[in-house]
Amino acid sequence: LNSQKARQFRENYLDLHVYEQAQIFTELNSQQRARLYRYLTAKEVGDMFDAIEDEPEEVVKYFEEMTPQYAANVIDEMYTDNAVDILAYVPKKDLAGYLRLLPTEKAAEIREMLHYEDKTAGAIMSTEYVAIAGNQTVRSAMHVVKREASDAETIYYVYVVGSDNKLIGVLTLRDLLINDDDQMITDIMTTPVMSVKVSDDQAEVAQTIRDYNFLAIPVTDYENKLIGIINVDDIIDVIDEESAEDYSGLAAVDTEEVADNPIKAASNRLPWLIVLLLLGMSTTTLISHYEGMISQASILAIFVSSITGTAGNAGTQSLAVAVRRLASRDEDQPSVYRQFFIELLTGLVTGLVTGLTIFLIVGFWKQNFILGFVIGMAMMCAITVANLAGSFIPNLMDKIGVDPAVASGPFISTLSDLTSVLIYFNIAKLFMKFFMGT
Amino acid sequence: LNSQKARQFRENYLDLHVYEQAQIFTELNSQQRARLYRYLTAKEVGDMFDAIEDEPEEVVKYFEEMTPQYAANVIDEMYTDNAVDILAYVPKKDLAGYLRLLPTEKAAEIREMLHYEDKTAGAIMSTEYVAIAGNQTVRSAMHVVKREASDAETIYYVYVVGSDNKLIGVLTLRDLLINDDDQMITDIMTTPVMSVKVSDDQAEVAQTIRDYNFLAIPVTDYENKLIGIINVDDIIDVIDEESAEDYSGLAAVDTEEVADNPIKAASNRLPWLIVLLLLGMSTTTLISHYEGMISQASILAIFVSSITGTAGNAGTQSLAVAVRRLASRDEDQPSVYRQFFIELLTGLVTGLVTGLTIFLIVGFWKQNFILGFVIGMAMMCAITVANLAGSFIPNLMDKIGVDPAVASGPFISTLSDLTSVLIYFNIAKLFMKFFMGT
């Protein structure tokens, strides 16, 4: 391509929103990408990479195609938080190479951020914020804002720091605009500032930003020094990620699977299916223990799926409520013990109504009210136990530090199958001579 | 309380963030609220009501406590989108009263917004935006921004409109700050503007804002006239609402239930449980149809729960993937037919592996490989059918305009129970003389 066409191309391409550029970029083949790197500056590629939605593992491959210097330049131009997300997947030796080619300060920032634990405020914060000293006027603060406007991720919040970079106040750009040019910053800033600690869980940060309708929130270390900010667009991704995890857990499948390949889809789903099948074999073994009873009273076999199914549904309901409650981290929640007590009562009420329903159905259908009573009783007990388990298990998992959302739905169902079968056949055994006695 | 204390109270209360004020407000009793209305201006109460997270039905009750004039003043001070959310729950005659007491323009805006359909862009947009004409300089535009700063919901985007209020461009406040004061707006504005139509689905709006990392997006009517904007904080609520719906659907329970009352919790859950129980009776009836076979070969009964359980899990996985895909409304998705085809293949692969597993387990455990073959075969077919149903049903529901998330998880399981039992006993019937022949 001659230089005329290159200029034309640059113009058209850069006219697009970076998100659209990124969408096109991911469709290119490696040859087309190589040409693109020649046409665009590192800054332009960096801006586009900030908007890329590919998995970090994919983006790493793009870096490998560039010369190390060009890659380092692109990394330098990206927002630190986005760059770090990707660099976490770069092989150790390449990473050292990139960091050597970066400006010292940026390299140090990246090195530090790579150490923050996944899913904490530190891991999702960015370091491109606007901070000013308090002992200046609105006019001079506006100069700082204008100077930083092209680099900062947001200029709509300006953070006021004291000596040692300690966070002491915050202003919105709106505050700066509506106040007089000669006002002192300390007189108009909002204080105290809502902030999060660098080690706070990302879900808690998301909850705070949502509750307060912030566009960003500052991140401080344990000495209250300002070290970064988290923007609302990063929080949207967190909220989506967390709810996708809850949802995936309830169905025992990673719902974000790229399902244009049946083998990949199957290998995503099979591990759960097989584990659940093996767990389910315990129920099968238990039923086989009662095979003698079944061959005597084959009518018992007919209602197994009805009881296990309904108890499983009740357990899943109770589980889903508990998982959402844990996820929302709302403070004015009843205590855990009170929650169990409420679940116990809820289980008894739902069990009673459902048990009564099946008692009437079986009684009239099979003209055998003793059998109906057995099945209704079993249903009620099975539902109550399933309800308690659905509430207890996620709380227990949360206490011991395991994410309660991990494939919990089917596990509750499988567990509740086991207890339901146990309850059912034992109640049936007790009353067998009555309902078979006719 | 004397006036001294009242002033003190005002000062402390207004020092809090509006979200915290709202949190405290909802804890007050009606007497305390009445006193609060006396101490605070309508503007202050309006700001607080903008941050209230109670159900609109609750907030309506607060309005009923105020004098109609005070209530109208509070409504006037609230952002239109928040006010409309609540006014939708006000009884018709009260609504007419409030609207009469409002400034004509505001009343007209509210009247119009009350007509937008639930869950569309029109229903969540706000009308407090900053719009300017293109034929002016940055300096004069900044004057407009400063003037509107206290009323607009966001001043960080400035929309450029032509004659007839047609949307022609957009500027960020950042653009205004970094450009020269004498620049013409039309020279520096971004064009064309990404916008949404007033009737667009809120989930689509959310997706656009997420993809482009916007802080707000303009809403236009069918003549491209600017009529409102949607802010990122409203979008966070939409994303959360939509994912909570998906999640609740998978568990057949409204997970947002206020579970400090077992009777309320039970009445939230019972309808689904009973409906599912009744649907499940079809499976029970079907099994009872095979009671003769069971009494001959009671071993068959042992594996029913294993087959129905695994097929149910597979169906739920496939369903969850399909529902998430429908919810994300991503454009570069494979076509619906291709999705079915992929699910069919995924079902066959997972079914084959799972079937083989259970074949080996049953074969070695019961020393009966023909029985193992029957159960493995049934498992494979049942999983394939469940997979297809899990993918087909949500797509069908979406096509006919029903939200695919409605309690879909347990329905798929129940449906798959029925087909699994049918498949299982028919395969068993075919091979019965072989595995019982020993």
Side-chain angles (χ1 to χ4, degrees), chain A residues 20 149 174 212 252 269 317 343, chain B residues 20 149 174 212 252 317 343:
Chain A
E20 288 152 354
R174 195 195 289 238
Y212 287 85
R269 301 180 195 182
Q317 288 182 330
E343 274 307 326
Chain B
E20 288 152 355
R174 192 194 291 236
Y212 287 86
Q317 288 182 329
E343 275 307 325

Side-chain angles (χ1 to χ4, degrees), chain A residues 15 18 20-21 28 49 52 66 92 124 158 200 205 207 210 230 242 251 258 265 375 411 420 427 431:
Chain A
D15 252 3
V18 284
E20 288 152 354
Q21 293 174 17
L28 300 179
F49 273 35
I52 245 170
M66 308 174 187
K92 272 242 164 80
I124 56 170
V158 176
D200 280 357
V205 179
Q207 191 62 41
R210 279 190 57 187
I230 296 171
E242 298 270 331
V258 190
I375 290 163
F411 281 112
S420 303
I427 292 181
F431 290 89

Side-chain angles (χ1 to χ4, degrees), chain A residues 24 33 37 69 82-84 86 88 106 114 124 162 229 232 234 247 256 273 281 328 338 346 376 401 430 434:
Chain A
I24 293 173
R33 283 196 298 266
Y37 301 144
Q69 183 61 58
N82 297 334
V84 168
I86 293 159
K106 186 85 169 194
L114 280 169
I124 56 170
I229 59 167
V232 67
D234 298 321
Y247 187 75
E256 310 299 288
L273 279 185
M281 287 313 291
S328 80
R338 191 160 159 73
T346 309
L430 275 178
F434 300 110

Side-chain angles (χ1 to χ4, degrees), chain A residues 264-282:
Chain A
K264 269 197 192 162
S267 62
N268 166 20
R269 301 180 195 182
L270 268 171
W272 294 119
L273 279 185
I274 300 283
V275 168
L276 291 168
L277 172 65
L278 295 181
L279 282 177
M281 287 313 291
S282 56

Side-chain angles (χ1 to χ4, degrees), chain B residues 130-134 157-162 165-172 175 185-186 188-195 218 220 224 226:
Chain B
V130 183
I132 58 171
Y157 288 125
V158 176
Y159 298 99
V160 185
V161 290
N165 211 29
K166 290 220 169 110
L167 181 66
I168 54 173
V170 64
L171 291 157
T172 62
D175 295 331
I185 292 300
T186 37
I188 59 167
M189 70 186 185
T190 301
T191 178
V193 194
M194 284 288 298
S195 64
T220 59
N224 198 33
L226 180 62

Side-chain angles (χ1 to χ4, degrees), chain A residues 17 19-20 23 53 142 145-146 149-150 152-156 172-174 177-178 194 210-215 232-233 235-237 239-240 243-244 246-247 250-257 259-263 265-266 269-270 272-274 276-278 281 283-285 287-288 291 294-295 298-299 301-303 305-306 310 313-314 316-321 323-325 338 342-343 345-346 349-350 353-354 357-358 361 365-366 379 387 410, chain B residues 17 19-20 23 53 142 145-146 149-150 152-156 172-174 177-178 194 210-215 232-233 235-237 239-240 243-244 246-247 250-257 259-263 265-266 269-270 272-274 276-278 281 283-285 287-288 291 294-295 298-299 301-303 305-306 310 313-314 316-321 323-325 332 338 342-343 345-346 349-350 353-354 357-358 361 365-366 379 387 410:
Chain A
H17 189 278
Y19 169 71
E20 288 152 354
Q23 293 281 86
E53 287 189 338
M142 279 301 285
V145 172
K146 282 184 192 175
S150 60
E153 201 166 346
T154 181
I155 57 164
Y156 303 133
T172 62
L173 185 51
R174 195 195 289 238
L177 286 181
I178 60 179
M194 284 289 299
R210 279 190 57 187
D211 283 345
Y212 287 85
N213 284 344
F214 288 143
L215 296 179
V232 67
D233 52 313
I235 282 310
I236 290 185
D237 297 337
I239 290 174
D240 199 57
S243 70
D246 288 354
Y247 187 75
L250 205 53
V253 61
D254 174 9
T255 50
E256 310 299 288
E257 72 178 23
D260 54 356
N261 181 337
I263 302 291
R269 301 180 195 182
L270 268 171
W272 294 119
L273 279 185
I274 300 283
L276 291 168
L277 172 65
L278 295 181
M281 287 313 291
T283 309
T284 309
T285 315
I287 299 178
S288 95
E291 200 185 329
I294 294 172
S295 64
S298 55
I299 196 158
I302 296 172
F303 294 98
S305 74
S306 177
T310 309
N313 288 337
T316 307
Q317 288 182 330
S318 147
L319 170 90
V321 170
V323 168
R324 282 290 291 187
R325 197 173 299 150
R338 191 160 159 73
I342 292 166
E343 274 307 326
L345 291 183
T346 309
V349 174
T350 47
V353 176
T354 316
T357 311
I358 192 84
I361 293 175
W365 179 29
K366 296 287 170 191
M379 185 79 93
N387 250 34
Chain B
H17 190 277
Y19 170 70
E20 288 152 355
Q23 293 281 86
E53 287 189 339
M142 279 300 286
V145 171
K146 283 184 190 174
S150 60
E153 202 165 345
T154 181
I155 57 163
Y156 302 134
T172 62
L173 185 50
R174 192 194 291 236
L177 285 180
I178 60 178
M194 284 288 298
R210 280 190 55 187
D211 284 344
Y212 287 86
N213 283 347
F214 289 143
L215 295 179
V232 67
D233 53 312
I235 282 310
I236 290 184
D237 297 338
I239 290 173
D240 199 57
S243 69
D246 288 355
Y247 187 75
L250 205 52
V253 61
D254 175 8
T255 50
E256 310 299 288
E257 73 178 23
D260 54 356
N261 182 336
I263 302 292
R269 301 180 196 183
L270 267 170
W272 294 120
L273 278 185
I274 300 283
L276 291 168
L277 172 65
L278 295 181
M281 287 312 291
T283 308
T284 310
T285 315
I287 299 177
S288 97
E291 200 185 330
I294 295 171
S295 64
S298 55
I299 196 159
I302 295 172
F303 294 99
S305 75
S306 178
T310 309
N313 288 337
T316 307
Q317 288 182 329
S318 143
L319 171 90
V321 170
V323 168
R324 281 290 292 187
R325 196 172 300 150
D332 42 295
R338 189 159 163 74
I342 291 166
E343 275 307 325
L345 292 183
T346 309
V349 174
T350 46
V353 177
T354 316
T357 311
I358 192 86
I361 293 175
W365 178 29
K366 296 286 171 191
M379 185 79 93
N387 252 31

